[in-house]
Amino acid sequence: MLFALGGVYALYEGYHKISHPQQLTSPQIAIGVLVLALGLEIYALITAVKIANRTRRGRWLDFIKRAKEPELPTNLLEDAGAVGGLLLALGGVVLSALTRNGVFDGIATLLIGVLLVVIAVFLAIEMKSLLIGEAATSEDLALISAGLADAPIVSSVHRLRTMHLGPEELLVTASIGIQAGTTAEQISAEIDDAEQRIRAAVPIATVIYIEPDLDGPTERGLAPRSPASSDVAP
């Protein structure tokens, strides 16, 4: 809401300045304030980047999309948006002062508004996935599937679902196809072993529910059903 309201107000101000351009009265003071603010925001951005680099893997966009805690992506986008907005404002003030034309200040304000609205939309999309429950990453999902399938009595894995209960807490549910003739003791032991394998490969998988299911097609001599794309969490 802060980014969206700020962006809409900046768009209004930019339109007003372009429609009714005015010369800057104290460009030196404006430039001094902007340079000071820019230095502080760059320092804040560098600090956020250093913290993010401790856990970041791959590109920055992938890191922000895959982050499971909302604080760090929000801080990164806020600091990056502040630096970009201040650079636009500084450019608009300098051009307006040099040309004595307030239209450049209005154009810079419009661009700042667009920047804030884009950040607001991006944050809303990313934070929504965290609020309603986000699935495990594709790497963790592959490790979980391997941990479930790595058992002699398991012939297939059905309806695998994952959901983050928190940044470091993952819920895993699945139904595994069991070969005919397997005893209850063997099923129980294999499920315990599968849970241990999953937790060893994906430590954040703290809550695991595995449901055994006898594979009817295997009993009739048919090939076991492979997991359909709709049965596997994204």
Side-chain angles (χ1 to χ4, degrees), residues 187-206:
I187 294 175
S188 178
E190 289 295 345
I191 288 178
D192 291 340
D193 291 341
E195 291 180 356
Q196 292 179 6
R197 288 193 298 270
I198 292 173
R199 289 193 174 97
V202 185
I204 63 174
T206 55

Side-chain angles (χ1 to χ4, degrees), residues 152-222:
I153 66 171
V154 175
S155 57
S156 57
V157 178
H158 313 308
R159 297 184 296 277
L160 175 59
R161 295 288 185 271
T162 61
M163 185 178 74
H164 270 271
L165 304 176
E168 300 298 329
E169 188 176 7
L170 183 67
L171 168 67
V172 178
T173 66
S175 174
I176 55 176
I178 302 297
Q179 295 178 1
T182 307
T183 64
E185 290 79 8
Q186 290 176 312
I187 294 175
S188 178
E190 289 295 345
I191 288 178
D192 291 340
D193 291 341
E195 291 180 356
Q196 292 179 6
R197 288 193 298 270
I198 292 173
R199 289 193 174 97
V202 185
I204 63 174
T206 55
V207 184
I208 303 174
Y209 296 103
I210 301 176
E211 177 187 52
D213 183 22
L214 288 179
D215 265 349
T218 303
E219 297 178 14
R220 293 191 293 270
L222 302 176

Side-chain angles (χ1 to χ4, degrees), residues 124-146:
I125 294 173
E126 291 304 312
M127 295 305 106
K128 183 187 74 170
S129 65
L130 293 177
L131 288 173
I132 64 176
E134 188 165 311
T137 63
S138 56
E139 293 83 359
D140 287 345
L141 192 61
L143 293 173
I144 293 170
S145 299

Side-chain angles (χ1 to χ4, degrees), residues 30-32 34-35 38 85-95 108 112:
I31 291 173
L34 289 172
V35 169
L38 185 61
L86 287 169
L87 288 174
L88 290 172
L90 184 60
V93 170
V94 170
L95 288 175
I112 292 171

